[in-house]
């Protein structure tokens, strides 16, 4: 597989030309020094690290996997992973967007997100180790006591300790109300945590001196549903270096991300400390879960980019048949396959989904920065609502499209794509999990339609659609952008009508919302991407004649491809939503026979 190259020019386009961070980020308190030059320097350093250190370890990590020693219950990561993690920490990347009060660099998430994409594209299994740690940092920073912050955050920030989130148990995944792990109080204010957690990413490894597990468990007498769940900090090693009663029971044998240690974690009276209020643990864990869901989206985005790069390089070199309109390379025995329309369909689908996904990620990162730092409470609230609305879209739409892109990349290679040594099938296997964990994409769809749209009667949705409506009004009648604005305005209106229809139907039958949810999320994803592509086309039109015309012409051509070849899926989605729940629910359970 060709070497990964970070898409620095496209990062520059999205950050500085599309969302214009230079006009917003330095105006936020605490980010005054975060200039475009600072962004560029960090992105170039991250690109060098991902290209030269992480990407070369990717296939080897997949082949070697993590090794579990049943006698010591220790896990060894693949060759090179520990050294890469040491370099990562020395470069200061774990501290990038963390609080300076605990050793962080205090830089914006608008910078952290593209770096996250690069890590996922170069080596997604490796990227999960620091990714989970940052989620643990965020949860403790938001909900921990001053003593807990002082004890754990500096070491998570410098990377000497890593973190996990321990939710799932053998009998319960999404339905956390069923969890059985229990926490018994000790006389010193700590708790004895007992239970088994499964599917714990980075649950045991040799990269760091300690692992800080954030564990959901029940206190004595707690309510039986999700209202009775508490969150606890359970370190692998206690103060003084004594080993806590938390251990790895085994590693899962998986389809992909084999170089990340997905562990069964056994807690046998392990000492832990309550974080946040009793029975309010799920609310605390959502700080980490929402970060993880956005991280999943970045995995889909990064793997889609990696697959696109591999497919594009191969399509330019692989000679196969002649162009249908005559030889394009008459001096060669055949034309490169990039001349064939079907290969171009696959490449352009990858390109269109990936570049729109990058724009969405940048927009969400900026909203997170605004939510965190803006001086106006109303502006912060609006940003928080946009993030809440679009987080399930980012998780599900980015990962669905990332898996599609990975599959298409393998298809471009033909039979060679099915062979392990080319590396393309690994991207497919690695991408598949992102649609499942941190809440399956079906769960994201239910969350979007049920909680983020219908629960507040569309208040969050209206804040978002007003942005699209404003863009359409601004460019109405534009001679060059009419091909984008007219269909975008039409789809915007139709999404409003669809939302109203589903909302009314679900008042009579809640299954109507459940039946519509996945199609609705994908429909809203297409609306979002159509808006972003129209915006990118507008920027590109305005930039023609200033140099780099080929780059901007490619943006406009890709926008046209998206509108002509991918956006028509919205018509099928609308028809499916309007069909309602009856086609799904009419068949009796016993008739699902074989």
């Amino acid at each position: 597989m060709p070497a990964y190259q970070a898409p620095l020019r496209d990062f520059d386009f999205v950050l500085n030309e599309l969302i214009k961070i230079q006009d917003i980020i330095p105006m936020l308190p605490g980010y005054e020094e975060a200039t475009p030059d600072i962004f560029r320097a960090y992105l170039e350093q991250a690109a060098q690290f991902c290209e030269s250190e992480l990407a070369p370890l990717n296939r080897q990590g997949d082949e070697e996997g993590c090794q579990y020693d049943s006698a010591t219950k220790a896990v060894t990561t693949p060759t090179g992973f520990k050294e890469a993690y040491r370099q990562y920490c020395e470069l200061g990347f774990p501290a990038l967007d963390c609080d300076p009060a605990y050793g962080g660099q205090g830089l914006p998430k608008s910078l952290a997100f593209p770096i996250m994409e690069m890590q996922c594209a170069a080596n997604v299994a490796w990227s999960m180790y620091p990714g989970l740690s940052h989620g643990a940092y965020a949860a403790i920073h938001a909900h921990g006591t001053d003593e807990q912050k002082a004890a754990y955050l500096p070491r998570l920030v410098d990377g000497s300790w890593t973190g996990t989130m321990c939710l799932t148990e053998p009998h319960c995944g999404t339905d956390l109300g069923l969890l059985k792990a229990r926490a018994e109080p000790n006389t010193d204010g700590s708790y004895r945590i007992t239970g088994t957690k499964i599917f714990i990413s980075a649950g045991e490894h040799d990269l760091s001196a300690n692992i800080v597990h954030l564990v959901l468990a029940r206190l004595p007498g707690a309510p039986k549903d999700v209202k009775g769940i508490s969150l606890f900090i359970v370190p692998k090693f206690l103060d003084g270096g004594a080993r806590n009663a938390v251990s790895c029971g085994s590693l899962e044998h998986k389809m992909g991300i084999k170089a990340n240690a997905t562990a069964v974690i056994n807690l046998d009276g392990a000492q832990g400390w309550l974080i946040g209020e009793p029975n309010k643990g799920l609310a605390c864990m959502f700080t980490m879960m929402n970060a993880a869901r956005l991280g999943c989206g970045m995995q889909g985005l990064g793997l889609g980019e990696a697959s696109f790069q591999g497919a594009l390089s191969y399509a330019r070199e692989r000679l196969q048949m002649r162009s249908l309109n005559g030889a394009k390379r008459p001096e060669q025995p055949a034309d490169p396959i990039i001349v064939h329309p079907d290969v171009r369909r696959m490449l352009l689908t990858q390109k269109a989904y990936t570049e729109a996904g990058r724009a969405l990620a940048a927009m969400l990162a900026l909203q997170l920065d605004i939510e965190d730092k803006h001086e106006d409470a109303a502006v912060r609230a609006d940003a928080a609502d946009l993030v809440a609305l679009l987080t399930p879209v980012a998780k599900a739409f980015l990962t669905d499209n990332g898996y599609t892109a990975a599959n298409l990349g393998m298809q471009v290679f033909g039979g060679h794509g099915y062979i392990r040594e080319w590396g393309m099938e690994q991207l497919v296997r690695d991408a598949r999990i992102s649609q499942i964990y941190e809440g399956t994409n079906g769960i994201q769809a239910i969350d979007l339609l049920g909680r983020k749209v219908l629960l507040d009667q569309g208040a969050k949705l209206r804040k978002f659609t007003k942005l699209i409506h404003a863009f359409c009004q601004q460019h109405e009648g534009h001679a060059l952008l009419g091909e984008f604005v007219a269909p975008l305005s039409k789809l915007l209106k139709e999404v409003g009508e669809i939302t109203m229809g589903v909302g009314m139907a679900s008042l009579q039958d809640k299954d109507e919302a459940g039946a519509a949810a996945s199609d609705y999320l994908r429909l809203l994803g297409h609306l979002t991407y159509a808006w972003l592509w129209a915006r990118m086309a507008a920027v590109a039109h305005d930039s023609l004649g200033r140099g780099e015309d080929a780059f901007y012409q490619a943006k406009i051509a890709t926008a046209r491809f998206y509108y002509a070849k991918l956006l028509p899926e919205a018509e099928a989605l609308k028809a499916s939503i309007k069909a309602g729940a009856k086609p799904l629910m009419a068949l009796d359970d016993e008739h699902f026979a074989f």
Side-chain angles (χ1 to χ4, degrees):
M1 180 179 174
Y4 168 71
Q5 290 186 306
L8 292 176
R9 178 63 185 95
D10 208 47
F11 286 136
D12 182 69
F13 172 80
V14 169
L15 294 171
N16 297 314
E17 299 178 62
L18 182 66
I19 67 172
K20 298 183 182 298
I21 57 165
Q22 67 273 19
D23 296 337
I24 302 172
I25 291 295
M27 302 299 108
L28 300 176
Y31 291 158
E32 293 85 359
E33 303 302 318
T35 64
D37 287 342
I38 292 292
F39 269 62
R40 190 170 295 109
Y42 273 89
L43 291 175
E44 288 175 354
Q45 185 181 53
Q48 195 278 331
F49 174 74
C50 291
E51 292 167 359
S52 64
E53 301 297 332
L54 293 189
L57 298 175
N58 193 39
R59 181 165 177 252
Q60 178 179 333
D62 181 64
E63 295 286 339
E64 187 178 330
C66 293
Q67 305 301 315
Y68 174 69
D69 186 326
S70 59
T72 63
K73 301 187 184 303
V75 172
T76 303
T77 53
T79 303
F81 271 45
K82 190 171 183 177
E83 173 61 19
Y85 184 74
R86 183 190 64 78
Q87 292 184 43
Y88 178 80
C89 295
E90 288 178 354
L91 290 169
F93 284 119
L96 191 73
D97 60 336
C98 295
D99 189 342
Y102 302 100
Q105 298 181 49
L107 289 165
K109 291 178 175 60
S110 296
L111 174 59
F113 268 50
I115 292 175
M116 192 190 314
E117 181 199 322
M118 286 188 253
Q119 292 172 15
C120 292
N123 194 325
V124 71
W126 184 94
S127 76
M128 294 169 66
Y129 293 101
L132 269 294
S133 299
H134 194 279
Y137 158 85
I140 295 172
H141 189 268
H143 304 288
T145 64
D146 289 342
E147 292 78 10
Q148 289 169 342
K149 293 177 184 179
Y152 294 102
L153 293 187
R155 289 158 175 166
L156 288 170
V157 167
D158 68 19
S160 58
W161 291 4
T162 56
T164 74
M165 52 191 293
C166 297
L167 289 73
T168 305
E169 298 183 6
H171 58 282
C172 74
T174 299
D175 190 356
L176 290 171
L178 300 175
L179 73 80
K180 297 178 180 178
R182 62 186 189 276
E184 301 286 340
N186 293 319
T187 55
D188 63 358
S190 66
Y191 294 81
R192 296 185 307 279
I193 317 295
T194 303
T196 296
K197 300 290 182 175
I198 65 170
F199 302 158
I200 308 306
S201 299
E204 177 62 29
H205 55 78
D206 59 352
L207 302 186
S208 62
N210 202 356
I211 301 175
V212 181
H213 300 287
L214 295 191
V215 181
L216 290 180
R218 293 189 186 281
L219 293 166
K224 295 186 180 299
D225 58 12
V226 294
K227 297 178 181 178
I229 299 174
S230 299
L231 182 63
F232 299 88
I233 301 174
V234 184
K236 175 181 174 180
F237 291 103
L238 301 168
D239 286 344
R243 179 66 188 258
N244 204 355
V246 52
S247 63
C248 177
S250 64
L251 294 182
E252 303 292 352
H253 302 282
K254 302 167 296 183
M255 173 181 174
I257 55 168
K258 294 182 178 182
N260 193 268
T262 305
V264 174
I265 296 295
N266 295 319
L267 302 122
D268 301 304
Q271 191 172 17
W273 288 265
L274 181 69
I275 178 171
E277 298 180 32
N279 303 328
K280 302 292 185 183
L282 195 57
C284 296
M285 184 61 84
F286 262 113
T287 299
M288 195 171 185
M289 288 170 67
N290 285 331
R293 287 171 176 176
L294 291 172
C296 283
M298 300 307 292
Q299 290 179 4
L301 175 58
L303 290 166
E305 171 67 27
S307 184
F308 170 62
Q309 290 190 17
L312 178 61
S313 179
Y314 185 81
R316 285 171 168 163
E317 298 173 358
R318 173 70 170 176
L319 303 181
Q320 197 80 44
M321 303 184 296
R322 290 296 186 187
S323 165
L324 296 175
N325 284 322
K328 294 292 193 294
R329 302 287 190 273
E331 75 283 2
Q332 296 180 337
D335 286 329
I337 63 174
I338 197 170
V339 307
H340 302 309
D342 195 54
V343 173
R344 285 173 168 258
R345 172 189 62 84
M346 293 186 281
L347 293 172
L348 279 165
T349 299
Q350 292 178 294
K351 179 178 173 64
Y353 277 149
T354 299
E355 291 181 10
R358 185 170 297 125
L360 173 58
M363 184 189 77
L364 282 174
L366 178 59
Q367 294 306 312
L368 286 167
D369 287 329
I370 291 171
E371 177 188 357
D372 187 41
K373 294 289 188 179
H374 203 282
E375 294 178 310
D376 188 325
V379 175
R380 292 198 305 271
D382 286 344
D385 283 346
L386 284 175
V387 171
L389 175 75
L390 293 176
T391 290
V393 177
K395 195 281 183 183
F397 202 58
L398 281 171
T399 58
D400 282 345
N401 295 336
Y403 184 65
T404 294
N407 263 311
L408 290 173
M410 189 173 79
Q411 189 74 16
V412 168
F413 275 68
H416 293 290
Y418 204 65
I419 305 302
R420 289 172 66 173
E421 68 185 84
W422 289 91
M424 299 302 286
E425 58 83 35
Q426 181 190 342
L427 301 178
V428 175
R429 290 185 287 105
D430 286 352
R432 187 61 183 89
I433 186 59
S434 64
Q435 298 168 287
I436 297 173
Y437 59 9
E438 307 308 340
T440 65
N441 287 0
I443 292 295
Q444 303 304 316
I446 292 170
D447 177 47
L448 170 68
L449 184 55
R451 296 182 64 244
K452 306 300 174 54
V453 174
L454 298 181
L455 189 62
D456 67 1
Q457 290 79 50
K460 294 183 186 67
L461 180 65
R462 285 191 294 276
K463 289 183 180 181
F464 177 53
T465 56
K466 282 180 180 178
L467 299 176
I468 304 175
H469 181 68
F471 174 86
C472 292
Q473 279 191 318
Q474 179 185 355
H475 295 91
E476 186 176 11
H478 192 291
L480 297 175
L481 296 177
E483 62 184 299
F484 306 117
V485 173
L488 178 59
S489 296
K490 178 176 178 290
L491 181 57
L492 178 62
K493 180 175 180 293
E494 291 169 342
V495 167
E497 294 168 351
I498 287 279
T499 305
M500 181 67 71
V502 172
M504 295 301 292
S506 66
L507 292 176
Q508 304 299 318
D509 181 359
K510 288 184 172 57
D511 277 340
E512 291 290 340
S518 289
D519 290 333
Y520 184 88
L521 184 146
R522 192 151 187 88
L523 181 64
L524 191 60
H526 272 301
L527 175 65
T528 304
Y529 276 23
W531 173 57
L532 291 168
W533 269 119
R535 289 179 59 189
M536 288 190 279
V539 172
H541 275 304
D542 291 344
S543 300
L544 291 173
R546 303 177 188 172
E548 292 191 281
D549 275 10
F551 176 85
Y552 295 115
Q553 290 285 10
K555 283 291 179 190
I556 296 167
T558 309
R560 286 175 175 147
F561 170 83
Y562 183 85
Y563 270 73
K565 292 290 190 178
L566 300 181
L567 189 57
E569 184 189 359
E571 297 301 318
L573 294 168
K574 289 183 291 182
S576 180
I577 292 170
K578 290 176 182 178
K582 187 174 180 180
L584 298 176
M585 309 308 294
L587 188 64
D588 292 337
D589 293 355
E590 60 268 23
H591 293 158
F592 281 88
F594 53 86

